[in-house]
Amino acid sequence: MLRDLLFEYIGHIFRNKVLGFVLLFTLSTYGCSRHESVRNESVVQDTLYHEQFRPQYHFTPREKWMNDPNGMVYFDGEYHLFYQHNPDSTVWGPMHWGHAVSKDLTHWEHLPIALYPDSIGFIFSGSAVADLNNSSGFGTKEEPPLVAIFTYRHRKRSTKGFESQAIAYSLDKGRTWIKYKDNPVLEDKKSLGFRDPKVFWHVGSKRWLMVISSEDRVRIYSSINLKEWVFESDFGDQIGAHGGVWECPDLFELQVEGTDISKWVMLVSVGKGGPNGGSATQYFIGDFNGSKFLTDQVTPKWMDYGRDNYAGVTWSGSPDGRKILLGWMSNWQYANMVPTHPWRSAMTIPCELTLIETNGEYQLVSRPVVELKSLRKQRNEIRPMSLSGYQEVEIKSRLDQSEYLFSFDFGQEEPEVLGLEWSNQLGDTLSVEYLSEGGYIGLRSSGPEIPLVKNFESIQRAPYQSKEKLKIHVLMDWSSIELFVDDGSLVMTSLAFPTVPYETLKIYSLKGETTLKEGIVWELKSIWE
C-alpha cells in the first residue's frame, strides 16, 4: 500500500517527464517484489469482478495497472487484445504486454503475459499483424506467424537512442512469443519520443507500412518483410493539436456511407490539450498514395469530446473489412489516482468506425459494435410524452448497467435545456444536457472527491448544432458513461464514481417543450458471469 502511494505521488509530480519515468522504473524494478501479486491470487472468487466501480461489460485486467490497447489483431476466429500492463502495481510502471482474446468482442479470456521487459528495455505500445504470406520467414505460408511490432523503452539512453522498434513472432495463435534475435529493427538515435508503431498491409503497393509517432509528428515507413524498414514521409508539421506529444497513430481507409467514395483517416492521440483538458484523440481525413498522407485539414477534429477515450487504435484483419476501434478509458491527468482496486483502468467498448458527409465535410462516426446487443436482457419501454419541466422515469432494472436509447423532437419553441439526470440517495448525480443557447452537449458527474485530482467534476462540453431532432444513445457501466449522439456523429466518454449506484432517472425540458418520441432501456448482462 505504501509503495502504491509513493507511485501515485511521484506520478503526480513528474507525469510525462523523463525524470518521472526513471523514478517510476527504478522503484518498480528494485523495490517491487511479486509478493503482493502472489497474495492477490488468494482473492475470493465470488468478489472478483464485483468490486466497487468494477465495469461489468467493459474489459478490465484481473488486477493491477493497464493502459493503451496494443497488438490488436484478428486471426483464426479470435480477436487478440494486448495492453500496456504493470503486473506489480495499480499505478503505471515497468511496461509488459498483457493479453486477452475474444471470439465475439464482448466476452474475454485472460491469457498469460505475452511480452516481458528484458535487457534492452521495457515493452511499450505497438501493433500486431497476421503475416499470411510469411513475408517475415518466421513461419510458413500454410502456418503463417503472428508478428508483434512494439517499442522498446531503453533502460538507459544509448547509441540506439531512448526508444526503438522491435518485433516478436508467434507460431501458436499468440499463446507464446519469440523475440527476433536481431532486435531492434528500427532506431532513431536522436528522438526522445519515437514510439507506438501501427503496421498494416497496403494492397496498392504490396508492402507493409508503419505509422509511428515521433515527438510532434507521425512518420511513415515501409517494409517487405517486417524486419527492414525504409523511411517514406512524415506528417503533422504545423497541423492539428500539439498541446502534448503525439502518440498512438493509426492510418486506414474508409468508405463514405452511401457513396462509392473512400478516404483515408489518420488518428493521432495527444497527451495534453484535449477539448476538455488532458488526453484526447484527434483525426485527419485525406488521401494516401502508399507513401505520403495528404490532407487539406489544418485544425483538429476530435474523435471523442469526453475526457476518457485515449490511445484508441483499430483491429488488424477484422472480418468483412470492418474498422473496429478500442480505446483506453482514462486520462493522464488522473489515471494513477482513480479509486479502484485491485485493478486500475478499463477499455472503452469496441466501436465500429465509418465516414459520413455533412454539409460538404467528411466526418468520422463511431458506433457500438452490434455484438454488444447479445448482452441485452430486461427491456423497459418509456411511453412517448410531452416534456415541460422534470419528469421522473420508472425503470425496473439497474440504472448503472444499462443501455439507453432516446429520441426527441423539439417543438416550435426549442427548449433552452433538454437533459437526463441520474442520481442516488446520497446526492451523487450524472447529467447529460443539450443547451440551445450555448450550442453544446454537456456532460457532468458529481460524487466522492478524488484526492489530488482537480476539476474532475467540471462540465465537459461538445459543440452541437440543433437539428430539430435529437437522438441520445447511452451505455452506462458501474463507473463510466459512453454517450453517442445522432447515431455516433458526436461521442463523449467519461468516468464517473458514484458512492452508491444510481437509483433515479429524470428527463427534463426547461423553458420550452420537447416531445419524447421513443425511450428504451435494456439492462445488460455482466460479461464476467
Side-chain angles (χ1 to χ4, degrees):
M1 184 64 180
L2 176 60
R3 175 168 49 78
D4 281 2
L5 291 174
L6 286 171
F7 271 123
E8 292 183 15
Y9 179 70
I10 293 171
H12 177 67
I13 296 175
F14 295 109
R15 187 167 56 251
N16 294 329
K17 294 180 174 64
V18 174
L19 180 56
F21 285 142
V22 173
L23 283 169
L24 284 169
F25 283 146
T26 302
L27 277 172
S28 296
T29 304
Y30 298 105
C32 302
S33 73
R34 292 190 178 267
H35 291 175
E36 183 178 349
S37 180
V38 171
R39 286 197 304 270
N40 280 327
E41 288 299 319
S42 64
V43 172
V44 179
Q45 289 302 310
D46 62 0
T47 62
L48 191 66
Y49 296 108
H50 291 85
E51 306 93 341
Q52 185 183 25
F53 305 133
R54 171 78 82 166
Q56 292 300 292
Y57 58 90
H58 290 75
F59 178 82
T60 52
R62 287 174 58 88
E63 59 177 2
K64 306 305 182 182
W65 170 268
M66 176 183 75
N67 59 290
D68 305 0
N70 297 156
M72 291 160 51
V73 60
Y74 177 84
F75 181 67
D76 200 14
E78 293 180 323
Y79 291 90
H80 289 262
L81 167 61
F82 302 86
Y83 52 90
Q84 292 286 276
H85 182 46
N86 179 3
D88 290 315
S89 177
T90 55
V91 296
W92 186 92
M95 288 294 97
H96 302 56
W97 269 24
H99 189 195
V101 294
S102 174
K103 294 183 182 298
D104 62 1
L105 289 169
T106 302
H107 301 87
W108 294 92
E109 176 190 354
H110 291 288
L111 295 177
I113 290 172
L115 296 176
Y116 285 83
D118 55 33
S119 60
I120 299 177
F122 304 96
I123 313 296
F124 273 35
S125 293
S127 54
V129 296
D131 185 12
L132 299 179
N133 293 317
N134 193 35
S135 64
S136 63
F138 292 138
T140 65
K141 197 165 184 178
E142 292 74 26
E143 295 185 6
L146 289 177
V147 180
I149 308 95
F150 60 92
T151 295
Y152 266 127
R153 166 58 72 93
H154 294 192
R155 292 181 181 270
K156 60 181 180 178
R157 184 158 185 156
S158 67
T159 57
K160 296 178 180 178
F162 198 42
E163 294 177 338
S164 62
Q165 315 317 310
I167 57 178
Y169 62 94
S170 173
L171 303 176
D172 57 0
K173 296 180 61 175
R175 269 52 182 182
T176 58
W177 291 84
I178 302 168
K179 291 173 183 170
Y180 180 46
K181 61 182 178 62
D182 291 328
N183 278 334
V185 297
L186 181 60
E187 303 168 0
D188 183 329
K189 297 179 175 60
K190 298 179 181 179
S191 176
L192 287 175
F194 182 53
R195 56 179 175 266
D196 312 336
K198 179 65 190 296
V199 171
F200 64 97
W201 178 258
H202 185 248
V203 175
S205 61
K206 297 181 179 179
R207 299 180 298 174
W208 295 106
L209 294 177
M210 174 196 294
V211 287
I212 185 170
S213 64
S214 179
E215 297 182 356
D216 63 346
R217 64 196 62 202
V218 171
R219 294 184 189 174
I220 301 175
Y221 291 83
S222 65
S223 175
I224 60 172
N225 58 12
L226 297 168
K227 300 173 182 175
E228 294 144 349
W229 294 90
V230 177
F231 175 75
E232 296 287 339
S233 63
D234 61 23
F235 169 78
D237 184 25
Q238 300 184 24
I239 296 175
H242 288 272
V245 64
W246 279 21
E247 295 184 311
C248 304
D250 200 352
L251 180 63
F252 48 86
E253 188 175 18
L254 284 177
Q255 188 167 332
V256 180
E257 284 188 352
T259 75
D260 295 327
I261 299 171
S262 65
K263 304 293 287 184
W264 284 78
V265 180
M266 174 85 78
L267 302 182
V268 180
S269 289
V270 58
K272 296 180 182 178
N276 280 286
S279 315
T281 300
Q282 59 187 325
Y283 70 90
F284 306 88
I285 298 174
D287 298 297
F288 181 63
N289 62 8
S291 177
K292 192 174 183 66
F293 176 73
L294 299 171
T295 181
D296 294 329
Q297 183 183 331
V298 176
T299 58
K301 298 178 185 238
W302 298 102
M303 187 181 72
D304 189 314
Y305 276 86
R307 283 195 291 254
D308 296 302
N309 186 351
Y310 188 66
V313 287
T314 58
W315 262 281
S316 169
S318 296
D320 303 318
R322 300 167 71 191
K323 286 298 173 187
I324 302 171
L325 179 135
L326 193 74
W328 175 47
M329 196 157 57
S330 197
N331 189 307
W332 280 119
Q333 289 183 320
Y334 42 76
N336 284 293
M337 293 169 273
V338 294
T340 63
H341 188 79
W343 87 100
R344 265 209 179 101
S345 296
M347 297 301 182
T348 66
I349 58 166
C351 285
E352 187 162 355
L353 304 180
T354 188
L355 286 176
I356 60 173
E357 185 178 5
T358 305
N359 299 324
E361 287 193 5
Y362 298 115
Q363 182 181 0
L364 187 65
V365 169
S366 180
R367 298 172 182 138
V369 293
V370 296
E371 287 86 345
L372 285 172
K373 291 181 179 180
S374 68
L375 297 179
R376 291 174 177 172
K377 50 179 185 177
Q378 183 168 334
R379 175 188 171 108
N380 300 265
E381 289 199 29
I382 303 170
R383 61 179 175 81
M385 68 180 81
S386 294
L387 294 166
S388 181
Y390 286 82
Q391 177 68 51
E392 186 172 328
V393 178
E394 182 179 359
I395 305 295
K396 296 179 180 178
S397 57
R398 288 194 66 129
L399 297 184
D400 61 349
Q401 192 178 317
S402 292
E403 178 180 8
Y404 300 80
L405 289 174
F406 295 103
S407 179
F408 298 98
D409 280 357
F410 300 133
Q412 292 184 349
E413 182 184 354
E414 188 174 80
E416 286 190 11
V417 182
L418 171 65
L420 307 168
E421 182 186 82
W422 292 264
S423 61
N424 61 30
Q425 59 186 341
L426 298 180
D428 301 333
T429 61
L430 173 63
S431 61
V432 173
E433 293 184 327
Y434 163 58
L435 288 88
S436 59
E437 184 176 346
Y440 68 87
I441 300 288
L443 178 63
R444 186 201 296 269
S445 66
S446 68
E449 188 173 320
I450 301 175
L452 302 179
V453 177
K454 294 181 179 179
N455 302 320
F456 183 79
E457 296 181 356
S458 62
I459 190 168
Q460 302 170 57
R461 292 182 173 89
Y464 180 77
Q465 299 265 333
S466 171
K467 301 172 184 176
E468 299 182 355
K469 297 178 185 291
L470 175 63
K471 286 185 177 180
I472 292 180
H473 184 185
V474 168
L475 284 159
M476 189 180 297
D477 211 338
W478 286 13
S479 55
S480 68
I481 178 172
E482 287 161 286
L483 170 66
F484 302 85
V485 177
D486 293 344
D487 297 317
S489 61
L490 185 153
V491 182
M492 299 183 78
T493 302
S494 181
L495 297 177
F497 299 101
T499 312
V500 296
Y502 299 119
E503 301 159 317
T504 303
L505 171 62
K506 293 179 181 178
I507 308 176
Y508 52 94
S509 180
L510 308 180
K511 295 187 177 180
E513 190 172 282
T514 303
T515 300
L516 173 65
K517 300 288 288 184
E518 182 181 45
I520 304 174
V521 182
W522 285 276
E523 186 176 354
L524 300 180
K525 303 171 190 173
S526 172
I527 64 174
W528 307 116
E529 295 177 350

